Each structure stands twice: as structure tokens, then as C-alpha cells.
Amino acid sequence: MKNSETNYNIMNNSMMNTNQETWLSVCNKSDLVINSGVCALVDNHQVAIFGVQSDDLKIYAISNYDPIGKAHVLYRGIVGSINDEPVVASPLFKQHFSLTSGQCIEDDSSHVRTFKTRLVESDVQILI
Amino acid sequence: MAETLKIIVVGNGMVGHHFVEQLVTQQHPNINFDITVLAAESRLAYDRVHLSEYFTGKRADDLAMTSEATYDQWRVAFHLNSKVTQIDRAKQIVTTHNGDQYTFDKLILATGSYPFVPPIPGNEQSHCLVYRTIEDLQEIERCAKESRVGVVVGGGLLGLEAANALKEAGLKTHIVEFAPQLMGVQIDSAGGTLLRNKIESLGVEVHTSKATVAIEQGTNHRYRMNFKDGGHLETDLILFSAGIRPYDELADLTGLEKGERGGFAINNQCQTSDPNIYAIGECAAWNNFIFGLVAPGYQMAKITVQKLINPTSDEKFIGADMSTKLKLMGVEVGSIGDAHGNTAGSQSYTYENQPQGIYKKIVVNHDGTKLIGAVLVGDTSDYDSLLQYMLNGIDLPEHAESLILPNVNNGPVLGADALPDSATICSCHNVTKSDIVNTITAGSTELATVKSCTKASTGCGGCAALLKDVFDTAMENLGFEVKKDICEHFAYSRLELFNIVKIEKIETFEDLLQRHGHGLGCDICKPTVASILASLWNDYVLEKNKIPLQDTNDTYLANMQKDGSYSVVPRVPGGEITPDKLIVLGEVAKKYDLYTKITGGQRVDLFGARVDQLPSIWAELIDAGFETGHAYGKAVRTVKSCVGSTWCRYGVQDSVAMAIFIENRYKGIRAPHKIKFAVSGCTRECAEAQSKDIGVIATENGWNLYVCGNGGMRPRHAELFASDLNDDTLILYIDRILSFYINTADRLQRTSVWMENMEGGLDYLRQVVIDDHLGVCDELERQIAHVIANYQCEWKTTINDPEALKRFKPFVNSNETDSTIEFVRERGQIRPAIEKEKSIKQSPHLIPVIEAK
């Protein structure tokens, strides 16, 4: 088992003070639980990261905070699709959030922040 | 920035409450409504329409339409016993009788009305009462106890209700009416005569054309009422119900305009002569008319809410249909539209059946094409149809009289299909047929859900039968019931999926999805398939390819609570636990600072564990000999037991030993839903076995087996399946029943609903399980034996599997613990911190976590 947390530093101060968007490594591809979520701590914020495997592997990152249940739990939801849109169902009250837009399917006024992701070699990175 | 509008609502009767409810539920993004209710009565709104039911056993709580907790939840401030006595229109301040002052931006007057008491000398005496509030009813109840005879002054709709109340209270009852007939507003004289006959046949004496001139001391009874025609009547109690008058004295005090017959004069948008002040309900006069029914008041409330939310709203109050249907003392009376035929050129058809006491009249327009009014006495079964004909201007059939003639030649029936989409089904809440159909289309396929979504039939309830008709027809038209697909990814029911998995020996979700489904799956099909796989093969639920299928509770083998922390429930078979083990539970709870509560299933629940703490908590519990309790799974939960014959003077069998045996036999079995058992040691049934999926009750000769009960939202008593069974037969039957349930039940279907939906019911289940009618018992036993043999304590497996333990690390890139889970202490234990108690707010920088708008 690879000790991933030592490899990926939490953001340093210089990064925090810029308004520039930055790619940040959060984990290794092997840390993902395919078709489910893991959580990364980024400057004290929780980001839920999902690796979804259908024909190819797609990686999505959204805020881990469920604005309806008001708890940091989204990475523990079940991943699925609604009309081909990849979604995660909140483990608290089962509302679905789009993994691409962050929009809550059941409640127009609720959405969560999403992050761009990319895979560099086996590094999972998010844009913040 | 949202604008804040201070709303003061004066009065909390049915209409005032309806206004508040509408305003709260129709939130507007750009306006914050700061609502304060000032009510003169001592309680929040209650159902005045059904007030007389107070005398048939309903109490104040049953009549309540809301609760203080609901208002608190809505953040609506309310002050009871606060009668508004002054309005300063210039400063926009109201003052109550105790001197409290409140400012407003908009003022809503919903002060209602009070009973009119005719100015008869002597009307102020102690047993002269009115019928309007719950306090009035309490007073009537008290005075009735000291009385034998009661008189209601007033033979209108409310008077008859009041007479009914006196009759229910056991008094010899009289009705004294000034006019020559009863219910003169709603029905014609022929109908009035029939109504009078019916009411008199019930033992109520009716005196019409009587004007009371004085109330004096009586000879045989408390009072003597003297009439203008020289007659008199002795009584112990007098109840005035001679119409209502609007509570409008604030108009005189503040210079608001009044209607000709009183009431705050309002325009089409319910504004009084001061545009910042609205009046709704029985205190309002629209075109000089005061509406004494609840439905028009609700409409006014709705229009006012629209106007507040959108000042340019052009919704208008355009008068109201005053049609009424009611049942008074068992006599049905209905009045629709122009009951008296006052419209120029109108004509009528009449049907009277004196032997059966039925009178029906319809009034049609000059050319006989439309219905404009109707009177029904003794039989209102045609009311709904006739009302729809009138409200929707439906063309009358060729022989209009067939609408009210007895159904000898199968007269025309106005089915739900014949109604236009715009047809009003519920006039109290103004719900149309299309509202109902749209609600069903949007996914509410239960009548109860449709009722709660649309509010249809929750006012006077008069449209219940019509609503059901419309609902049933719409369901049929929309083709419901046919579709049993569990979700968009599989066009199969759970039963079909179960059979596919079993026959094709499918072992993974991916395999099943590839062969028989499409898309990625979802939170419905994934756990269902995981449950089927577990039921059939009973593999370890945290095998890598099963993790993504499970609800969080199954994934983390614990129950997620509202703050994202988990609770832990170790198995305590039969509820029997040694002191040493009990101490371990206490020590573990203390060490991890867990909230501890005894469950209904005779175990101990430990709350407040973070994901990362679960493995070490379980390591300690397993060390002490505990096993997982499957409280997180759709699985066998607990076997509750009483102490049984070992200790109890009454016990006839060892219920504890049997409970422990049963629990250990079936523990861990995954099923369509949770399964609960109980074993009682004698017929006193202290273990409450008849409220369980499987209930066992000891007899002198063995065990009685009860099946398919449950508590919860919709309790159902278990049914006696077989009697006086020996131990082996008992277990054999339970094996087969459980296995049959797991094989055939729908997703998330408890045994109770499974039984209710089973064609042939209990007898059929007996045939399958006892007589092996289907020839499947061998297979059922083989399946259950397989899962029993493959039992493992999932927690024991988990803590010995480093790969599985990775899941319990909260962050993939950090060893920190989740600092967002915070507790405060209450009654000596922890509880989740509420938002304002939390030290860590949503941080403002870098990654704003967006909350619901």
C-alpha cells in the first residue's frame, strides 16, 4: 500500500495568495475507489473525488459539502447516472448532484462547486 | 440584497392561518417576509368547519390546524391572547389591548366574525351562549351538564350545526327560527319543509316564524322565551346562532372604509381603503358582500399572498361560489348556485320522494342548456356531478331531469373523464383536475401524496369521493401499475432481477449491467443488486467490486447520522448480555466519548463515531466477543425476547434460549428490507411478537408462529401462521418463509406489504410453506442453508483486511481527522453541534463551498 499523503503536499502559502488557477495533485490514480468516491483535504476544504469507469476512466471532483444535509459527506454517496448525466446521490437525503455541473437534480436552488480534473501520469490533479 | 417586508397578520382563524401557510410555503427569492401573527384567541388556528365534532369526541388538539412548533419552524412570530385595539396608519404601528406595539409594512386583517346575538332583553344571562370558538364549546359542554332542555335561536346552516351539538350533548333540543323555513339562504321552501320533517323525526322540535321578544325566568326550566305571537317556550339553555357579523371595529377606529353591511371594504385585490392594509375572510366586505364560508376566504388569502410577492400581480378576487354540501344530524343537504331560481328566465325541474324523504331540484338557464342552481335534501349523491355541470358550464344532456331522477334507466354519469382539465375538484383549496393529473405525472402515485402535495380534500373534505375518482381515472389513463422497472437502468422488477441473477449465476453488478441494463446504475439499482447478490451468495459485502454498490451504511458497516458521524450497534442476541460485556460497551463508549442509548431491539446504540474511529472501536468490541449487529443493513436485525420460563412465574417456554438460537441462525442474512423478530414466553406477549415480521409466542404445547407484522409508520399486526409447533418445525417454517420472502418480495418491501400484495394471502403462504404447493421447499431450504453456512462477522473480516481499512481513512491526501464533525454536551453526553454552535464555519477563502441559495 502506497503512502500517498506524503507525496502530495497541501498547498503552500505562495499558492494561496495568488488569484491564479493552479493544478494541484491530490492523490494517485490507485487511491481512487472506482465507481465510488474518496475525499481530499485541500487547504482545510474537503473535495470529493470520483473515478467513474465506463468505457474509459473519468475523474470528477466536487465540493464534499452537502448543502441540503449540511454535512461533509458527498464522497460517501452512491455514484450513478440520470439520463446519462453522471451523478452522486447524497448519503443523507438521497438528492442527486451532477458530477459535471454540481447542480442538484431535485432542487434547482442547490448546487455544489465543481473542479476541473486531469490525470498527469498517475497523478490525479484538480484545478483550484 | 433581499428586501425585508414586515407583515403583521391580525387574527389566526382558518383564513389567517391559511394566509401564513401560503406565504411561508411560497418563498420569494428577493423578499424576506418577517411575519408576526397577533391573535385574540388563546390558541392557534383550528378547524371551525368541523367544530361540532367536538361533541362526538374530538378534542381541541384534534381540531388544531397547526402547532406552535410549526410556526416556530416557519420562523413566524405569534402572540396569542393579543387583541389588536388600534392601528396607527400613518406610522404603520398596531397596538394590542395590553399596550404592545408592532410596526408593519403590510397589515393583513383576518379578524373573522362573531355570532350575532339579537337584542332581546335577557339575552345576557349565564346560560345564554354562542357557538363560535373552542371556549364557547367548553362553555356549552359545562352548561349542558346543568340543563335538560336547550334552544337554538337561528335555523340557518350554523344553527342546525349548533342544534346537532346540543342534541349530541344529550339535551331535548328546539330550534327557533325567525323566517318561515329552515336554511332559507341555501334551499327553497319545498326543500325547507322536507328538511324540517326530517329533523323533527329525529326528535328536534322546530319553531318557524317566531320572533323572541324577551327571555325571562322560567317556571319548570331556567328560562322562559316569550314570542311576539304570544306563545312561549321554556328551556334551560339558549344558544344564539342567528348569523355572523364581521369583527370590523378597527375600521371605525382608524377610518378604514366599511361595506354597507359592515366589514372592511376591499377591492378585487383584497386591499382596504388603505393600500398597505388588506382584509381577508369573514371580516372583509367585497362588493358589500361578506362571505361566510371558508373557501372564499382561502381565495382571498391566496390573492393577497400573490400581491405581496409580486406587487404587479393581477390576480383578482371575483366573488365565490357559495355552493354547500353538508350532513346535519344525519340529513344530507346540498345547495348549488342559484338555488332559489332568482335568475331571469330560469326554469326548474323537481323530484320529490316523500316516503324516502328525498327532494331534488335543478335550476337551468332560459334555454335549458346550462345548470345554474340546485337544491338537494335527503340525498346529495348527485352533488358533485351537478356542481361540475355548473362550475364548468358543461352542456346539459338532452333530458336534464335525468340528472336528478332515480337511477332507473341508468341516467347519464359524469365520470372524471368528462370533466375539463380546468374543472375545480377542491373548491376550498382551489385545486383543479389538471393540478391533480400533473401531480401524478410528476411522480406522486399515492392518493395520500397527491392530497398532501395539492391540499385537495384537506379543507371541508366534501370532494373526497370525486378526488378519488379523478385520481383513479388519471392513474389508469397514465398507465401506472403496469411499470414495475426498478429504475431507468434496468427494465426489470426486483423479482425479475433476482431470478436473472440466480439463473444466470451472475456474481457482479457490472456483469448484470452489461448483460441486462444500461448507463452507470444508480442509488436504487446498485443497493438492490448488492442485496440480491448477498442474499444469494452471501459474500463479504466489502469486497472491492461491491463497495460502490452499497449505501454508505453498508459501506462503513455503521449507521450514518445527520452530521456525517456514525452509530455503532453490536449484536446482543435475544437481548441477553453478561455484566462483563455490558461493562465493555460502557468502557468503549467512554473511551471514544460516544453518546449511548438503549434501542427498542434490546441492544445498545453508540453514536458519534467518526469514520476513522470505526475500525478501532470495532477492534475493541470484537476483542471482547461482540459481533456486528447489522443495524446498518437491510438484514435480520434483532430478536427481542421476554425473560421466559427460566425466571418468570408465568412463562411456559424458554423464550430467551429460543430467541438467541433464532438470532444466531439468521444473523447477517440480507433481505429486501430489514427483518425483526420477537419471542414471547407466554401468551402475555411481553416481547410484542405480534408487531414483528416473525413473531413466536410460547404455548403449553410449543410455539405459535405469527408472520408479517410490523410497527413503524404503518403498523400491522402479525397473523397467526401455525400453532403449537415443536422447535424443529418452527425453525423449518421460518427458514422457508424467510427464503420465500427474499426470493419474491419487491425492493424495500417489508413482509407486511409483501403479505398484503400476495394473491391468496396467508392461506397461500401456508400452502407454499406447509404443503409445499409449489414444490419449491427443497430449494428454499437449500438457499437459506447456504447463506447461514456462509455467515461471517463483517467487522471481523474488515479489521483484518488492510485493503478494506483504507476506506475508513477520511482523506486520501492527509492524516488529519474530519474537523467539521463537532459535538456539544447535553445531559452528560455528546450531541451533534447545531450550525450556530460550530466553531468551524464555511471558510470564506480559496474554495468557497456553495450553500443552497
Side-chain angles (χ1 to χ4, degrees):
Chain A
M1 174 180 161
K2 194 172 167 193
N3 200 2
S4 58
E5 63 273 13
T6 53
N7 298 343
Y8 305 102
N9 290 319
I10 313 296
M11 303 200 54
N12 62 41
N13 284 330
S14 65
M15 279 168 148
M16 274 176 66
N17 293 335
T18 64
N19 288 327
Q20 293 270 303
E21 290 188 318
T22 317
W23 285 102
L24 179 77
S25 296
V26 285
C27 65
N28 191 283
K29 185 178 156 187
S30 65
D31 294 323
L32 297 176
V33 180
I34 298 307
N35 294 329
S36 185
V38 296
C39 187
L41 193 62
V42 180
D43 184 36
N44 250 339
H45 289 272
Q46 300 188 7
V47 179
I49 299 160
F50 302 91
V52 177
Q53 181 83 54
S54 47
D55 295 334
D56 52 349
L57 177 69
K58 291 201 176 67
I59 298 172
Y60 303 98
I62 65 173
S63 162
N64 191 40
Y65 184 70
D66 173 355
I68 297 170
K70 299 203 187 306
H72 296 76
V73 292
L74 288 182
Y75 84 93
R76 289 178 234 158
I78 292 180
V79 171
S81 65
I82 291 181
N83 296 327
D84 296 330
E85 176 74 5
V87 294
V88 62
S90 164
L92 283 169
F93 300 110
K94 316 295 178 201
Q95 293 92 354
H96 299 86
F97 293 89
S98 162
L99 295 181
T100 55
S101 69
Q103 180 59 48
C104 176
I105 308 293
E106 287 82 6
D107 177 8
D108 285 347
S109 66
S110 292
H111 61 276
V112 295
R113 176 156 177 191
T114 58
F115 303 89
K116 289 203 175 99
T117 64
R118 68 179 186 188
L119 207 51
V120 177
E121 313 260 302
S122 64
D123 256 12
V124 176
Q125 298 189 333
I126 66 172
L127 187 67
I128 55 172
Chain B
M1 182 70 192
E3 169 196 4
T4 295
L5 212 53
K6 284 185 96 162
I7 309 282
I8 301 272
V9 187
V10 182
N12 196 244
M14 295 176 79
V15 173
H17 166 66
H18 189 76
F19 169 82
V20 171
E21 187 177 36
Q22 293 280 312
L23 190 58
V24 169
T25 49
Q26 302 206 4
Q27 289 287 355
H28 192 271
N30 297 329
I31 311 176
N32 289 325
F33 290 108
D34 173 6
I35 310 170
T36 301
V37 171
L38 302 174
E41 282 192 58
S42 62
R43 64 189 92 230
L44 289 175
Y46 51 89
D47 185 353
R48 269 191 246 274
V49 172
H50 296 106
L51 209 53
S52 66
E53 291 175 19
Y54 187 84
F55 288 100
T56 55
K58 285 207 178 180
R59 302 327 281 175
D61 285 350
D62 301 320
L63 292 169
M65 302 185 74
T66 183
S67 66
E68 300 192 353
T70 304
Y71 271 48
D72 288 342
Q73 197 190 332
W74 287 346
R75 297 180 189 192
V76 171
F78 59 92
H79 303 279
L80 302 175
N81 302 308
S82 294
K83 186 178 164 77
V84 171
T85 51
Q86 188 55 269
I87 304 168
D88 184 332
R89 286 166 52 192
K91 292 186 185 154
Q92 299 190 218
I93 292 174
V94 297
T95 309
T96 66
H97 72 292
N98 41 26
D100 295 336
Q101 294 196 319
Y102 303 89
T103 58
F104 64 86
D105 296 313
K106 303 285 175 191
L107 180 66
I108 317 299
L109 300 172
T111 49
S113 63
Y114 60 92
F116 169 64
V117 178
I120 303 165
N123 67 10
E124 72 298 334
Q125 301 179 68
S126 66
H127 288 62
C128 295
L129 308 168
V130 294
Y131 178 82
R132 181 70 186 166
T133 65
I134 286 181
E135 282 72 21
D136 292 339
L137 295 188
Q138 289 166 344
E139 188 63 10
I140 293 169
E141 199 175 32
R142 191 185 66 76
C143 290
K145 288 194 183 124
E146 305 165 351
S147 304
R148 283 178 291 134
V149 176
V151 167
V152 173
V153 177
L157 197 154
L158 278 173
L160 294 180
E161 283 225 10
N164 190 32
L166 291 189
K167 189 167 168 283
E168 293 287 342
L171 301 192
K172 164 71 185 160
T173 305
H174 297 263
I175 297 171
V176 172
E177 166 61 41
F178 180 75
Q181 72 161 94
L182 295 175
M183 288 186 74
V185 176
Q186 290 87 6
I187 60 179
D188 62 357
S189 64
T193 306
L194 187 74
L195 177 62
R196 176 187 182 137
N197 292 342
K198 297 200 96 151
I199 287 177
E200 287 190 327
S201 73
L202 296 168
V204 174
E205 278 188 46
V206 178
H207 313 265
T208 50
S209 303
K210 294 280 180 200
T212 311
V213 290
I215 300 167
E216 298 173 346
Q217 198 180 342
T219 326
N220 299 321
H221 294 280
R222 193 170 287 120
Y223 305 124
R224 172 187 162 120
M225 299 169 73
N226 292 332
F227 302 129
K228 199 174 176 184
D229 62 8
H232 70 269
L233 178 64
E234 294 224 346
T235 180
D236 299 307
L237 181 158
I238 299 173
L239 197 50
F240 290 104
S241 185
I244 54 164
R245 295 291 181 271
Y247 265 124
D248 59 3
E249 71 271 26
L250 284 168
D252 300 322
L253 292 170
T254 57
L256 289 172
E257 279 175 30
K258 292 214 298 186
E260 282 170 16
R261 280 167 287 176
F264 303 102
I266 57 168
N267 63 16
N268 290 346
Q269 298 198 306
C270 301
Q271 285 163 310
T272 64
S273 51
D274 182 332
N276 285 326
I277 303 180
Y278 294 73
I280 55 178
E282 293 178 345
C283 68
W286 177 82
N287 278 353
N288 293 317
F289 195 87
I290 289 168
F291 294 88
L293 291 179
V294 72
Y298 282 1
Q299 278 178 40
M300 293 178 192
K302 192 171 160 235
I303 284 158
T304 306
V305 166
Q306 290 310 319
K307 183 79 178 163
L308 293 177
I309 288 175
N310 173 18
T312 59
S313 161
D314 57 359
E315 272 202 56
K316 288 188 176 70
F317 185 75
I318 47 163
D321 171 49
M322 298 295 283
S323 301
T324 327
K325 178 175 78 166
L326 66 165
K327 197 170 180 179
L328 293 163
M329 294 183 255
V331 184
E332 296 180 353
V333 181
S335 165
I336 292 174
D338 182 7
H340 293 278
N342 292 331
T343 309
S346 66
Q347 305 177 69
S348 65
Y349 298 83
T350 310
Y351 167 76
E352 187 165 8
N353 178 339
Q354 289 193 343
Q356 288 181 22
I358 296 171
Y359 173 79
K360 301 181 184 181
K361 179 175 84 170
I362 50 173
V363 181
V364 301
N365 64 351
H366 63 97
D367 60 2
T369 55
K370 306 279 183 192
L371 186 86
I372 58 173
V375 175
L376 302 168
V377 180
D379 174 12
T380 55
S381 54
D382 299 323
Y383 178 88
D384 288 343
S385 290
L386 294 176
L387 184 64
Q388 293 302 329
Y389 270 105
M390 187 199 72
L391 290 179
N392 297 301
I394 299 171
D395 283 334
L396 284 170
E398 193 181 345
H399 298 288
E401 68 275 19
S402 60
L403 292 175
I404 52 170
L405 289 178
N407 219 351
V408 281
N409 291 324
N410 294 325
V413 178
L414 191 60
D417 270 336
L419 295 175
D421 286 345
S422 61
T424 302
I425 305 302
C426 170
S427 53
C428 290
H429 290 281
N430 200 17
V431 183
T432 62
K433 178 180 165 186
S434 67
D435 292 337
I436 291 162
V437 175
N438 290 341
T439 309
I440 297 170
T441 316
S444 301
T445 53
E446 300 280 339
L447 184 58
T449 330
V450 171
K451 276 169 102 166
S452 71
C453 288
T454 61
K455 302 222 147 214
S457 198
T458 61
C460 71
C463 61
L466 182 63
L467 172 67
K468 180 157 191 331
D469 193 20
V470 169
F471 175 81
D472 287 349
T473 311
M475 286 289 284
E476 206 173 299
N477 291 347
L478 291 168
F480 278 102
E481 285 187 329
V482 185
K483 202 176 166 196
K484 290 231 160 99
D485 303 0
I486 67 164
C487 67
E488 65 176 72
H489 307 100
F490 289 99
Y492 300 102
S493 67
R494 179 196 178 266
L495 176 57
E496 289 166 329
L497 285 177
F498 188 95
N499 288 330
I500 290 169
V501 171
K502 188 166 115 185
I503 292 160
E504 301 187 13
K505 297 206 162 30
I506 292 173
E507 291 184 14
T508 66
F509 178 80
E510 287 71 23
D511 193 8
L512 182 67
L513 188 68
Q514 203 174 11
R515 290 201 222 173
H516 300 283
H518 59 90
L520 295 176
C522 68
D523 52 308
I524 292 175
C525 59
K526 282 182 169 180
T528 305
V529 172
S531 161
I532 292 171
L533 294 172
S535 291
L536 280 170
W537 322 124
N538 209 6
D539 296 330
Y540 175 46
V541 292
L542 291 195
E543 261 183 70
K544 189 135 187 160
N545 63 6
K546 296 217 178 64
I547 286 175
L549 306 183
Q550 310 279 359
D551 271 319
T552 183
N553 287 357
D554 278 288
T555 310
Y556 293 95
L557 302 168
N559 292 45
M560 184 187 267
Q561 303 299 327
K562 62 192 284 187
D563 62 344
S565 71
Y566 289 84
S567 74
V568 169
V569 193
R571 190 168 291 288
V572 180
E576 183 185 85
I577 186 166
T578 62
D580 281 340
K581 279 182 135 180
L582 201 52
I583 288 167
V584 170
L585 288 181
E587 281 172 345
V588 169
K590 210 165 169 177
K591 177 171 173 185
Y592 293 90
D593 197 10
L594 304 174
Y595 170 78
T596 310
K597 192 174 186 310
I598 307 294
T599 72
Q602 302 185 332
R603 340 198 251 193
V604 183
D605 207 339
L606 312 173
F607 290 80
R610 291 190 316 267
V611 160
D612 56 284
Q613 294 176 312
L614 289 170
S616 48
I617 290 171
W618 270 107
E620 295 191 28
L621 292 172
I622 285 165
D623 236 18
F626 282 103
E627 291 182 317
T628 181
H630 296 98
Y632 43 81
K634 304 296 177 212
V636 170
R637 295 278 175 86
T638 59
V639 185
K640 186 177 177 176
S641 71
C642 69
V643 74
S645 59
T646 317
W647 289 89
C648 177
R649 285 175 291 150
Y650 303 111
V652 292
Q653 303 284 349
D654 185 352
S655 50
V656 176
M658 179 54 82
I660 294 172
F661 179 81
I662 291 177
E663 185 155 346
N664 282 326
R665 182 173 180 81
Y666 301 114
K667 64 190 174 189
I669 293 181
R670 293 303 206 275
H673 211 306
K674 62 185 174 187
I675 302 175
K676 296 180 175 183
F677 293 66
V679 183
S680 277
C682 79
T683 182
R684 285 176 177 73
E685 240 285 68
C686 294
E688 298 166 334
Q690 290 168 92
S691 65
K692 300 289 187 273
D693 296 281
I694 301 285
V696 178
I697 301 177
T699 68
E700 297 281 349
N701 308 315
W703 307 96
N704 284 352
L705 174 59
Y706 289 78
V707 297
C708 303
N710 70 242
M713 188 161 64
R714 201 162 63 89
R716 181 184 195 273
H717 272 131
E719 292 175 89
L720 181 62
F721 180 82
S723 306
D724 293 331
L725 303 173
N726 62 29
D727 290 4
D728 289 345
T729 315
L730 174 72
I731 298 302
L732 182 69
Y733 286 174
I734 298 176
D735 274 1
R736 291 175 179 176
I737 292 167
L738 283 184
S739 193
F740 191 52
Y741 165 64
I742 291 166
N743 271 277
T744 59
D746 209 346
R747 167 185 173 267
L748 296 184
Q749 190 176 44
R750 289 289 297 266
T751 57
S752 53
V753 183
W754 173 65
M755 167 63 85
E756 278 165 18
N757 289 345
M758 191 184 300
E759 227 168 286
L762 187 65
D763 283 339
Y764 178 72
L765 187 63
R766 285 198 188 107
Q767 284 173 16
V768 173
V769 169
I770 300 175
D771 308 333
D772 198 8
H773 176 66
L774 299 180
V776 294
C777 284
D778 282 350
E779 172 64 12
L780 295 177
E781 284 169 44
R782 199 197 52 72
Q783 275 182 33
I784 204 97
H786 176 76
V787 287
I788 290 169
N790 283 292
Y791 169 79
Q792 53 184 316
C793 169
E794 291 141 8
W795 264 112
K796 195 169 188 175
T797 313
T798 302
I799 57 174
N800 291 316
D801 179 353
E803 195 57 30
L805 286 175
K806 272 174 83 174
R807 289 291 291 161
F808 294 87
K809 195 167 158 303
F811 302 114
V812 74
N813 63 342
S814 161
N815 277 335
E816 284 188 44
T817 56
D818 184 350
S819 59
T820 65
I821 294 179
E822 291 184 71
F823 302 105
V824 294
R825 302 199 81 79
E826 189 175 270
R827 296 189 295 276
Q829 301 204 65
I830 59 159
R831 67 158 169 81
I834 60 174
E835 286 302 306
K836 66 180 177 193
E837 291 166 338
K838 285 187 177 171
S839 58
I840 298 169
K841 307 291 177 202
Q842 290 303 306
S843 173
H845 59 278
L846 195 64
I847 299 179
V849 180
I850 298 165
E851 290 194 44
K853 275 183 208 162

